[in-house]
Amino acid sequence: MEFIIAIVMGGVIGWLASIVMRTDAQQGIFLNIIVGCIGSILGRFLFGQFLGGGHLRGNAFDPMTLLTAFIGAVVLLAIVNLVRRGRVR
């Protein structure tokens, strides 16, 4: 059950990050899930010590976990945009 919740929350986080970074029209639900889940890992790695967020599989509804995952997904999309377009956007 935790895996399904992590996939759903990863999709929501990826979708919100793609709206913020204005890449929503370019990616579908599959890429939103991937961005959200990888962004959660990246956010926990980069900002976990400062914000105290856990990971989506264990603490999916914790506000700090959601914030950490969202920031990580935005950073991931910024890096992808920088590589693909030469600018963050």
Side-chain angles (χ1 to χ4, degrees), residues 17-18 20-23 26 73-89:
S18 68
V20 168
M21 294 301 291
R22 292 179 266 166
T23 60
Q26 300 166 356
V74 168
V75 167
L76 178 65
L77 285 176
I79 292 169
V80 169
N81 284 340
L82 187 64
V83 169
R84 291 174 84 195
R85 295 189 183 100
R87 58 188 169 115
V88 174
R89 192 177 234 203

Side-chain angles (χ1 to χ4, degrees), residues 3-58:
F3 182 72
I4 294 171
I5 291 173
I7 295 292
V8 170
M9 294 307 290
V12 170
I13 293 294
W15 175 65
L16 291 174
S18 68
I19 288 174
V20 168
M21 294 301 291
R22 292 179 266 166
T23 60
D24 190 40
Q26 300 166 356
Q27 57 191 46
I29 190 164
F30 185 68
L31 283 176
N32 282 338
I33 292 171
I34 290 173
V35 165
C37 292
I38 293 175
S40 171
I41 295 167
L42 182 67
R44 186 170 33 126
F45 178 71
L46 295 176
F47 306 110
Q49 293 86 13
F50 305 115
L51 298 176
H55 52 83
L56 287 178
R57 286 197 65 195

